[in-house]
Amino acid sequence: MKSNHAISEKHMAGKRPGRPSVDRRDEILDAAERLYEAMGFEKVTVTDVARALGMSPANLYRSFANRQAIDEAVTSRALTAVEDAAWHVARGAAADPVHIFELLCMDIALKMRDLLFWSGRSSDLCLAATRGNWPPVQAFMQTLRGLIRHVIAEGQRQGVMRADLPLEETTAATFSAMAKVWHPVMLDTFGAADLESETAALTRLLLEALKVKN
Amino acid sequence: MKSNHAISEKHMAGKRPGRPSVDRRDEILDAAERLYEAMGFEKVTVTDVARALGMSPANLYRSFANRQAIDEAVTSRALTAVEDAAWHVARGAAADPVHIFELLCMDIALKMRDLLFWSGRSSDLCLAATRGNWPPVQAFMQTLRGLIRHVIAEGQRQGVMRADLPLEETTAATFSAMAKVWHPVMLDTFGAADLESETAALTRLLLEALKVKN
DNA sequence: TTCATGAAAAAATTTATATTCTTTCATCGT
DNA sequence: ACGATGAAAGAATATAAATTTTTTCATGAA
């Protein structure tokens, strides 16, 4: 799975005057990200982003259909970082799917917390995206679900997780259960005070259901 | 001060001119509830409530410290109805704690859904209360947690649920897991389309962890 | 005294207006 | 042509003034 920037340009506004031949999306997103980080994304105007790049605001619209598209792309990049780290855990060194499950659950919870409470002002964007159920958030949640399914399936294959539980339903239920410690809206509502112990307890309980009995 | 210290009236605004000797709280709450239902609680003024009762607005302030207190009391009554129904299920006819657990989880989820999506305009109030984490909501959540603990403890006592799982931690984890289908903020974010099957799947998985092995 | 109210201060909300931001597109320079 | 832009229309957001709502409290009636 290589980076496929050149291909996935469904975002390229085809109707616009002329889209750039060289792709300046990443430049733009870098600048936007920096500004969002510095002053909170709600205070940043597209003029600010353009100025930071020494171009006119109008020029941004050849790379992005509108401001919402920029916001979503920045969101996407932030969430992709979490996804990548999580996939790394899931495919990582640890061989035992049970252990991987534990690591994965905790890793995601802590990364989401960081995103919301320690990512400077980027949390505004993350929260807005979550509240509005923006497409990148939906995609992200799908990825998380895929991760869970992957680990459970592997656990079942290796005989350390119960194979008599239906994979899809079990995946869905596990994913639902983790929402309390994974979902930004929940983290925002309850804060992240006992997040670690809560996540650990939740994970332990779920594993009691998933693990094969001794 | 006289010998009158049998004051169970913790709610009585003590600092106010003279509090009523006969408690008109319930009357007031009835009127408020009716109005909230009819026109949405954000549109209702305390003057409206007072007028509905044929009294002056100022008079309400002898029974309630402020409008927020009225809103919270109405919220409290709505949530108490759910609590009561849930306790009824928990202590109800069904003898098997495992079955009670299933019924309880589903009952709460469906009642929360009704509150949010079918209670006319009362859902505004419920959502505002949940978003702001009002005290009645916190109390409600504590009650739900208590219900779960009760059922699990009973299941352990009867030997149908695993007694080797620590009661408090298991209760906490179970409660966390149910947030996805119980918590108004989640219901609001995701809608209630597949609520029943999601709740059923979640409950089944949790029971796999809680039940004793065959 | 005890209960209740009118009237007014304080707070919040709405309305109207002004300013800024987003987005388009005709036009410029290469 | 092609990438880029200035300028202006359309949206959205902020500011200010007016109105409504919440809350207090001194005073009156029972």
Side-chain angles (χ1 to χ4, degrees):
Chain A
M1 54 179 98
K2 56 174 184 176
S3 302
N4 52 348
H5 281 173
I7 309 158
S8 66
E9 306 312 19
K10 63 189 170 188
H11 297 293
M12 218 52 116
K15 58 176 180 178
R16 316 232 147 231
R19 47 243 134 118
S21 51
V22 322
D23 191 344
R24 304 192 68 181
R25 295 189 112 234
D26 285 338
E27 274 181 74
I28 295 170
L29 294 179
D30 287 339
E33 197 172 281
R34 255 194 308 278
L35 285 171
Y36 289 7
E37 184 70 32
M39 50 199 294
F41 96 105
E42 288 179 307
K43 296 294 171 196
V44 176
T45 71
V46 325
T47 304
D48 291 331
V49 177
R51 185 170 39 236
L53 289 163
M55 57 173 68
S56 85
N59 202 28
L60 294 187
Y61 287 86
R62 294 192 312 127
S63 295
F64 293 94
N66 49 38
R67 190 201 159 137
Q68 179 67 18
I70 299 178
D71 292 341
E72 288 182 5
V74 174
T75 303
S76 213
R77 296 211 311 189
L79 294 179
T80 297
V82 177
E83 284 177 17
D84 289 348
W87 271 115
H88 186 260
V89 170
R91 312 197 94 105
D96 177 16
V98 168
H99 190 220
I100 289 183
F101 183 86
E102 284 178 327
L103 292 177
L104 190 61
C105 290
M106 184 60 77
D107 185 74
I108 294 172
L110 297 184
K111 287 230 162 51
M112 293 310 292
R113 178 188 60 179
D114 291 348
L115 209 56
L116 282 178
F117 299 111
W118 270 284
S119 283
R121 302 181 168 277
S122 290
S123 52
D124 303 356
L125 178 62
C126 187
L127 258 180
T130 312
R131 286 245 163 77
N133 240 306
W134 293 2
V137 174
Q138 293 178 252
F140 174 68
M141 291 293 164
Q142 278 314 106
T143 299
L144 256 38
R145 169 191 287 253
L147 269 160
I148 291 293
R149 176 168 41 217
H150 174 81
V151 175
I152 293 178
E154 184 62 14
Q156 291 181 333
R157 202 185 60 76
Q158 291 187 22
V160 294
M161 289 188 186
R162 293 177 49 185
D164 60 315
L165 299 177
L167 180 58
E168 291 308 323
E169 180 187 307
T170 303
T171 297
T174 302
F175 185 63
S176 298
M178 296 306 297
K180 176 63 172 35
V181 293
W182 284 357
H183 202 284
V185 166
M186 288 279 101
L187 296 178
D188 182 52
T189 301
F190 293 111
D194 300 327
L195 187 68
E196 271 190 71
S197 61
E198 190 182 0
T199 303
L202 203 36
T203 306
R204 261 197 296 279
L205 183 66
L206 292 174
L207 276 177
E208 289 301 330
L210 296 173
K211 273 191 307 190
V212 296
K213 313 305 187 302
N214 293 325
Chain B
M1 295 301 132
K2 295 300 159 58
S3 56
N4 184 2
H5 38 49
I7 358 92
S8 61
E9 311 310 16
K10 59 190 174 188
H11 296 295
M12 231 38 128
K15 57 174 182 180
R16 317 242 142 221
R19 44 251 138 111
S21 51
V22 320
D23 192 344
R24 304 192 67 181
R25 295 189 113 234
D26 285 338
E27 275 181 73
I28 296 170
L29 294 179
D30 287 340
E33 196 172 283
R34 256 193 308 278
L35 287 170
Y36 289 7
E37 185 70 31
M39 51 201 292
F41 94 106
E42 289 179 306
K43 296 293 171 197
V44 176
T45 71
V46 323
T47 304
D48 291 332
V49 178
R51 185 170 40 236
L53 290 162
M55 56 173 69
S56 85
N59 202 28
L60 293 187
Y61 286 86
R62 295 192 311 128
S63 295
F64 292 94
N66 49 38
R67 191 203 156 136
Q68 179 66 21
I70 299 178
D71 292 341
E72 289 182 5
V74 173
T75 303
S76 213
R77 296 212 309 190
L79 295 179
T80 297
V82 177
E83 285 177 17
D84 289 349
W87 272 114
H88 186 259
V89 170
R91 311 199 95 105
D96 178 17
V98 168
H99 189 220
I100 290 183
F101 183 87
E102 285 178 328
L103 293 176
L104 191 60
C105 289
M106 186 60 78
D107 184 73
I108 294 172
L110 296 183
K111 287 230 161 52
M112 294 311 291
R113 178 187 63 180
D114 291 348
L115 208 54
L116 281 178
F117 299 110
W118 270 283
S119 283
R121 302 183 168 278
S122 290
S123 52
D124 303 356
L125 178 61
C126 186
L127 257 181
T130 311
R131 286 243 163 78
N133 241 306
W134 293 1
V137 174
Q138 293 178 252
F140 175 68
M141 290 295 164
Q142 279 313 107
T143 299
L144 256 39
R145 167 191 290 255
L147 269 158
I148 290 294
R149 176 168 40 216
H150 173 82
V151 175
I152 293 178
E154 184 62 15
Q156 291 181 333
R157 202 187 60 77
Q158 292 185 24
V160 295
M161 289 187 184
R162 293 176 50 186
D164 60 316
L165 299 177
L167 180 58
E168 291 308 323
E169 180 187 307
T170 304
T171 298
T174 302
F175 185 62
S176 297
M178 296 306 298
K180 176 63 170 39
V181 294
W182 284 358
H183 202 284
V185 165
M186 288 280 100
L187 296 178
D188 183 53
T189 300
F190 292 111
D194 301 327
L195 187 68
E196 270 191 70
S197 61
E198 191 182 0
T199 303
L202 203 37
T203 305
R204 261 197 297 279
L205 183 66
L206 292 174
L207 276 176
E208 289 301 330
L210 297 173
K211 274 191 307 190
V212 297
K213 320 304 189 310
N214 293 327

